[in-house]
Amino acid sequence: MKAKKRKPYKTISFKLSWRQYKSLTNFCKHRNTTPVKLIKKNMAKYINSYSDESTIVDYVTPNQIDLF
C-alpha cells in the first residue's frame, strides 16, 4: 500500500470587506487577470527571497540600543 503523498502547497485565507472585494474584482476584470494571480504577483517580491533562510535577523539601529 502506497503512502499518501503530501501536497506541496499550503492554504492561506484572509477576509476582505465587501467594498474591498468589489474593488479587487473590478480591477482584475479591467486588467484581464484573476484575484489569485494578482495577489500572488504582488506578494512574490516579499516571499521569494526568504524561502531558503532558516532565521531572519532583525536590523537594530544604534538609537534602539541606547534605550536600554
Side-chain angles (χ1 to χ4, degrees):
M1 183 172 194
K2 289 185 178 182
K4 187 175 180 180
K5 190 172 183 178
R6 299 183 94 186
K7 292 182 180 180
Y9 301 103
K10 300 295 179 189
T11 302
I12 297 175
S13 64
F14 57 93
K15 294 184 179 183
L16 295 175
S17 68
W18 176 249
R19 186 178 184 133
Q20 289 171 332
Y21 177 74
K22 189 175 176 183
S23 296
L24 179 65
T25 54
N26 286 337
F27 182 83
C28 290
K29 192 179 293 184
H30 179 69
R31 303 284 181 167
N32 291 328
T33 187
T34 63
V36 173
K37 287 181 183 179
L38 178 71
I39 293 168
K40 282 185 176 183
K41 183 179 178 184
N42 286 312
M43 287 179 52
K45 63 182 177 182
Y46 299 108
I47 59 177
N48 287 341
S49 60
Y50 293 106
S51 63
D52 295 331
E53 294 184 22
S54 60
T55 58
I56 299 172
V57 178
D58 291 332
Y59 176 73
V60 179
T61 62
N63 293 341
Q64 289 177 338
I65 295 174
D66 293 339
L67 292 175
F68 301 104

